[in-house]
Amino acid sequence: MASSEYLVEVKDLKEYFPIKTGFFGTTPLKAVDGVSFNIKPGETLGLVGESGCGKTTVGRTLLRLYKPTSGEFYFDGQLVDDKNITDLRRQMQMIFQDPYSSLNPRMTVEDIIGEPLDVHKLYSNRAERREKILHLMELVGLNAEHATRYAHEFSGGQRQRIGIARALAVNPKFIVCDEPVSALDVSIQAQVINMFEDLQEKLGVAYLFIAHDLLVVHHISQRIAVMYLGRIVEIADADELNTHPIHPYTLSLLSAVPIPDPKIAKESKRIILDGDVPSPMHMPTGCPFRTRCRYATEHCAQECPSLTDRGNGHMVACFEK
Amino acid sequence: MATENNVNDLPLPKKNPLSLQIDLSKFEKATDEEKKQQDVMSESTTFFKDGMRKLMKNPLAVGSIIVLILIILMMIVTPHVVPYTYSQIITVDGKRDTGAKNLKPFQYSKMEQAYIAKGGKVFPHVMGTDELSRDYFVRVVYGTRVSFMVGVFASLIVGIIGVLYGSISGYSGGKTDMIMMRIVDIIYSLPDLLVIILLSVVFKETLDFSKVPILQKLGANMVSMFLVFGLLYWVGMARLVRGQILTIKENEYVLAARAIGARPNRIIWHHILPNCISVIIISIALEIPSAIFTESYLSFIGLGVALPMPSLGALASDARSGMQSYPLKLVFPALMIVLIVLAFNLLGDGLRDAFDPKLRK
C-alpha cells in the first residue's frame, strides 16, 4: 500500500453510544464524529481538547475497547477488525489515566507486569518470565525488590510506571497514552514525561498522547491535534500550532495556558468563550463550535467545515479563518 | 540513588536568620542498617493478612471460631471414644438393656449397676438415654454432624451456583443480564417451604438411592433439601455477586486487561472475583446458619433426615412429646442449634467487619 509510511491511519472514525430516551427510543450520543489522523512510526501525536470532547473515546476505540460505529483503522497497513485485534494487541497498547484504579489491588507488581506475557504466552519458562519482568521494571525505573509488592504500596508516579511497564511488556510499536500524567503532581509529571521521551528514543514506539494540558502536549509531541465535540478542528506540527494557531477554538485554548512571567501575562489577552459546551446528544447544526465562536456566520450553521490544508500539513476545519 | 547524591552535592543557599529553611548540617545520613530497619518495618501486607489480623482482634469472632473448632473436634472424636452408636440399643455384657430408658445424665440402669458391681466398666451416659434406650449424647453429636454437614454443603452449593450465575450475568450485561435476572426474580418469588415439601414427596416416589449408600442413609428428604437449596437459595447470592461485579467491572484495571487481550474467562477469574471474594466468603459464612436453621425446622415438622439418623431438629421434635417429664432432651439439641447458629453468625459478622473495606474505621 502506498500510504504505508504511516504506522497508524485512522479514517473517518465514528463512535456513537446509544442513550435511552423515553421508553423505546434511543438517541445516539456522538462521542466521536468522523475523526481522521495518521501517525508515523516513532512519532508522537498529541491530542488535546476539553473534558468530554471524545479524546479518551478515540484512544479506546483504536484498541477496540469500544466497537467503532463506523470508520476504518489501518495499523501497519492492515485493516483492524474484530478478528485480528487480539494479535494486534501485541503491537499496540494503552496507558491509563488513573494510576489508582488501573492496577488490580489484589495482584503483585510482578503479576501485573507479567499479565501481557501470560496472555500472549511470550515466555517458555518461569525464569524467562521473571527475567523479562525485571528487565521491564528496570526500564521504567523501578527497583527489583518491588516485584513482590502490591500496587497500593506505591505512590502515584510509581504506579504509573508500573502501568507503563505493563504496556511495554509486549514490546508494542504504538501506545495510546490516555492522559497518563494528569493524575500526577507537577514534579512527578515531568519525570514521567521525560521517561516517555527516553522510552521512545530507546524503543522507537509511536504515541498517541492524549491530554488536556497544552504545555505538556507541546513538550512531548511532534504534531498536535485539537479536538472539539468529537471532531478534530486543527492538526499541525507542535511548534506551528503553538506559534500560528488558526482555528478560533485553538486560539482560546492557547490563551488559557498560564504564562509563567507575570509581565507578559498582564499584556496577553485571554480569550474567554461564552456559554457551555453543547450536549453531544443535541449537536448544533453545521460547525459544532459555532455556538461559541466569535466569527460564526450563516454559512457555519448550514454546513460543517472539513479539514483543509493551509500549507505544510497544517489542517484546519473552519470557513472564516 | 543518583538523585540522592545530587541533592547532597548542591550548594546550600544562604540561610536567612529568620527563614524556616531546613539546615541540612543538622541532619545526618541514615546508615545502611537504619535503612534496612525501615525496609523491615514496611513489610508488604496483603489484603488477606490484613483482614485476618483485624479478625483476630475481634473477641466475638475469635470466641466463635473457638466454639466451632470445639464442636468440630467433638464431632470427630466422639465416635472413637464413646462405645455407643446412634442407632444401637444399649447392651450390657452382650445383653440388650431394655431397662435403660429415659435415664438422666450420668445415671446408670439396674443392669449396668449390677455389671459395675461385678467389676465391669460402663461408659457414662453424659446426656442420659432416650425412650428407645439409646445413648442420647451420641445421638446429639451425630445430629450435630448431620446438621453441620447440611449447613456447610448447602451453603457451598448455594455459593458455587450463585457465584457462577451472578458473575456470568453481571459480566455479560445487556440483554443476557436482563433475562438471567428476571429468572432470578421468578425463583425468588417461589415459596420455598412449599417447594421443599412438594419435592420431597416427589423424590420419595421417583428417586432410587439404593446404589448410593451415603444418599440412602440420608434419605429422600435430605437429598431433596440439598436440591432445594441448589434450586432456590442461590438467587440471593447470585444477586449479590452480580451487583459486586457490576461495580468492579467499571474499574480501569478491567479495561486494561481487555486492552492487553485477556479473555473474559481470565478477566473474571483474575481480576473480578478476587476483588469481590471477601463479600462472597462473608455471605457464604452467613448462609451456613440459615441452612442449619432451615434443616432444623424441616426436621422438626418431619421433613428432615430419615430415621434412625438423627439431626438436631429431629431430636428436638422427638423430645417435644416428653417435654413435661424429660425437658433436658429438648434442651440439649436446642442448645446445640443455638451454639452453632450463633457462632456462625458472629463469625460472619466478624468477617464482614474485617474484610469489607466500606465498614472499615
Side-chain angles (χ1 to χ4, degrees):
Chain A
M1 209 180 276
S3 55
S4 61
E5 62 164 310
Y6 294 115
L7 180 69
V8 172
E9 275 180 88
V10 180
K11 286 180 185 163
D12 203 25
L13 185 75
K14 286 181 183 169
E15 176 67 59
Y16 297 168
F17 296 114
I19 301 290
K20 271 199 181 143
T21 43
F23 263 117
F24 301 104
T26 53
T27 311
L29 186 151
K30 298 180 178 175
V32 178
D33 198 12
V35 162
S36 310
F37 57 84
N38 306 316
I39 301 173
K40 287 179 200 149
E43 188 193 37
T44 305
L45 175 70
L47 189 60
V48 288
E50 62 195 288
S51 306
C53 72
K55 308 180 297 271
T56 299
T57 311
V58 169
R60 290 185 177 177
T61 311
L62 289 189
L63 271 116
R64 281 218 170 219
L65 297 177
Y66 304 139
K67 202 175 156 60
T69 310
S70 73
E72 285 168 342
F73 169 31
Y74 292 93
F75 185 82
D76 227 352
Q78 193 182 357
L79 180 69
V80 178
D81 56 31
D82 279 338
K83 280 172 202 150
N84 60 15
I85 184 65
T86 315
D87 287 334
L88 283 176
R89 278 178 181 148
R90 261 193 229 188
Q91 298 180 46
M92 48 183 179
Q93 270 302 314
M94 185 155 187
I95 294 163
F96 291 86
Q97 173 177 12
D98 182 1
Y100 292 88
S101 83
S102 65
L103 304 176
N104 187 339
R106 297 282 189 281
M107 282 166 98
T108 59
V109 170
E110 190 178 351
D111 286 334
I112 290 172
I113 300 175
E115 186 169 30
L117 304 174
D118 296 339
V119 168
H120 294 288
K121 300 185 181 61
L122 294 177
Y123 55 88
S124 46
N125 53 42
R126 302 295 293 178
E128 196 188 335
R129 178 178 187 261
R130 179 144 184 102
E131 193 188 312
K132 281 192 170 175
I133 290 168
L134 290 181
H135 171 72
L136 285 163
M137 289 177 70
E138 194 194 317
L139 201 63
V140 296
L142 289 167
N143 279 337
E145 302 110 64
H146 292 154
T148 53
R149 302 207 158 204
Y150 288 83
H152 66 83
E153 297 172 58
F154 293 92
S155 67
Q158 281 173 315
R159 283 165 152 258
Q160 200 55 285
R161 284 167 197 264
I162 298 169
I164 295 166
R166 170 173 64 188
L168 290 173
V170 290
N171 209 359
K173 289 183 195 164
F174 172 54
I175 299 181
V176 174
C177 309
D178 182 8
E179 306 202 24
V181 295
S182 50
L184 308 175
D185 74 59
V186 180
S187 61
I188 308 293
Q189 273 189 7
Q191 281 180 20
V192 172
I193 285 168
N194 289 338
M195 193 177 72
F196 272 116
E197 287 182 324
D198 289 349
L199 289 173
Q200 190 167 45
E201 227 165 81
K202 268 190 225 167
L203 308 170
V205 285
Y207 296 130
L208 174 66
F209 199 94
I210 301 169
H212 52 239
D213 185 341
L214 259 174
L215 277 180
V216 167
V217 170
H218 177 235
H219 178 75
I220 194 168
S221 317
Q222 279 92 52
R223 286 190 306 137
I224 298 177
V226 180
M227 262 185 96
Y228 183 79
L229 268 184
R231 287 168 201 266
I232 289 180
V233 294
E234 187 164 5
I235 301 187
D237 284 347
D239 292 327
E240 165 78 12
L241 189 96
N242 222 27
T243 46
H244 303 294
I246 295 179
H247 197 279
Y249 180 63
T250 315
L251 280 168
S252 71
L253 269 189
L254 279 172
S255 82
V257 173
I259 300 163
D261 189 334
K263 278 177 199 155
I264 304 174
K266 230 178 225 172
E267 286 159 21
S268 69
K269 260 194 294 170
R270 176 98 156 74
I271 304 169
I272 295 168
L273 294 177
D274 296 326
D276 286 325
V277 190
S279 157
M281 282 171 71
H282 307 285
M283 291 266 252
T285 56
C287 174
F289 188 58
R290 71 175 170 84
T291 51
R292 302 167 77 189
C293 181
R294 290 188 290 170
Y295 310 100
T297 59
E298 270 302 299
H299 189 193
C300 299
Q302 278 149 14
E303 209 180 327
C304 183
S306 52
L307 284 170
T308 49
D309 201 333
R310 310 289 167 98
N312 262 338
H314 191 149
M315 311 273 277
V316 182
C318 189
F319 292 127
E320 302 303 317
K321 294 285 276 186
Chain B
M1 301 307 124
T3 48
E4 248 173 53
N5 291 336
N6 286 345
V7 169
N8 289 330
D9 293 345
L10 282 176
L12 281 175
K14 234 187 201 171
K15 191 178 179 304
N16 185 314
L18 290 175
S19 99
L20 290 170
Q21 185 190 315
I22 291 169
D23 186 2
L24 280 188
S25 60
K26 284 183 183 163
F27 290 80
E28 55 178 303
K29 271 187 111 177
T31 60
D32 284 346
E33 206 174 304
E34 281 164 332
K35 280 181 191 167
K36 217 176 195 175
Q37 249 175 352
Q38 276 294 321
D39 272 352
V40 174
M41 273 166 67
S42 60
E43 199 189 340
S44 168
T45 81
T46 66
F47 179 78
F48 183 73
K49 274 190 211 157
D50 196 33
M52 285 313 274
R53 211 192 64 228
K54 285 213 166 71
L55 187 70
M56 287 307 153
K57 275 186 187 164
N58 183 344
L60 280 177
V62 175
S64 51
I65 289 174
I66 292 169
V67 167
L68 287 175
I69 288 174
L70 286 179
I71 290 174
I72 291 169
L73 275 180
M74 190 180 80
M75 292 187 324
I76 297 168
V77 171
T78 307
H80 297 289
V81 175
V82 181
Y84 313 111
T85 68
Y86 66 89
S87 58
Q88 180 197 33
I89 292 169
I90 288 162
T91 50
V92 181
D93 210 7
K95 272 181 248 164
R96 279 190 173 183
D97 181 5
T98 44
K101 277 180 199 167
N102 294 324
L103 294 176
K104 285 183 182 137
F106 293 104
Q107 193 191 16
Y108 294 106
S109 70
K110 277 175 191 157
M111 267 177 87
E112 280 172 334
Q113 280 167 353
Y115 186 61
I116 292 169
K118 270 197 277 173
K121 268 193 175 170
V122 175
F123 198 88
H125 308 297
V126 179
M127 294 180 184
T129 58
D130 68 359
E131 77 277 5
L132 290 174
S133 308
R134 295 176 294 202
D135 187 81
Y136 204 59
F137 175 60
V138 172
R139 282 186 71 73
V140 170
V141 170
Y142 269 89
T144 313
R145 230 178 171 181
V146 169
S147 296
F148 210 89
M149 296 294 238
V150 170
V152 171
F153 280 113
S155 56
L156 279 184
I157 293 173
V158 166
I160 291 167
I161 299 177
V163 167
L164 282 178
Y165 195 92
S167 50
I168 292 169
S169 172
Y171 187 77
S172 26
K175 283 210 174 92
T176 325
D177 180 40
M178 204 197 73
I179 293 167
M180 287 176 92
M181 277 302 118
R182 291 302 82 75
I183 294 172
V184 163
D185 289 343
I186 292 167
I187 293 174
Y188 216 80
S189 58
L190 292 178
D192 44 355
L193 197 57
L194 206 66
V195 176
I196 294 174
I197 294 169
L198 285 174
L199 281 179
S200 39
V201 170
V202 170
F203 288 142
K204 231 178 228 166
E205 302 295 321
T206 54
L207 289 185
D208 182 20
F209 299 129
S210 53
K211 282 174 197 137
V212 197
I214 304 165
L215 291 182
Q216 202 182 5
K217 239 183 189 173
L218 284 171
N221 283 334
M222 211 76 239
V223 176
S224 67
M225 204 183 292
F226 278 123
L227 280 171
V228 166
F229 271 109
L231 286 174
L232 297 183
Y233 287 169
W234 56 269
V235 287
M237 182 69 90
R239 276 187 174 171
L240 184 89
V241 171
R242 171 184 170 266
Q244 284 287 315
I245 283 180
L246 283 183
T247 50
I248 290 168
K249 204 171 76 169
E250 295 306 313
N251 277 317
E252 270 187 347
Y253 55 78
V254 175
L255 216 56
R258 283 178 54 205
I260 285 165
R263 291 177 196 290
N265 208 349
R266 189 190 163 85
I267 292 175
I268 290 181
W269 278 107
H270 281 73
H271 296 281
I272 296 179
L273 282 184
N275 282 293
C276 59
I277 197 76
S278 53
V279 179
I280 293 170
I281 288 174
I282 292 159
S283 61
I284 286 180
L286 289 171
E287 191 73 42
I288 294 174
S290 90
I292 290 175
F293 216 73
T294 312
E295 188 277 332
S296 296
Y297 79 65
L298 286 176
S299 293
F300 193 82
I301 58 171
L303 289 169
V305 286
L307 293 172
M309 177 70 94
S311 88
L312 291 176
L315 288 173
S317 168
D318 286 348
R320 195 179 40 155
S321 50
M323 203 164 72
Q324 303 280 317
S325 348
Y326 311 107
L328 277 179
K329 300 246 174 327
L330 185 59
V331 170
F332 289 128
L335 204 67
M336 224 50 206
I337 295 175
V338 169
L339 263 183
I340 296 173
V341 172
L342 190 67
F344 270 117
N345 271 327
L346 289 177
L347 179 63
D349 282 349
L351 280 173
R352 193 182 49 212
D353 290 349
F355 283 98
D356 201 336
K358 279 171 210 151
L359 287 173
R360 290 233 171 124
K361 280 167 206 160

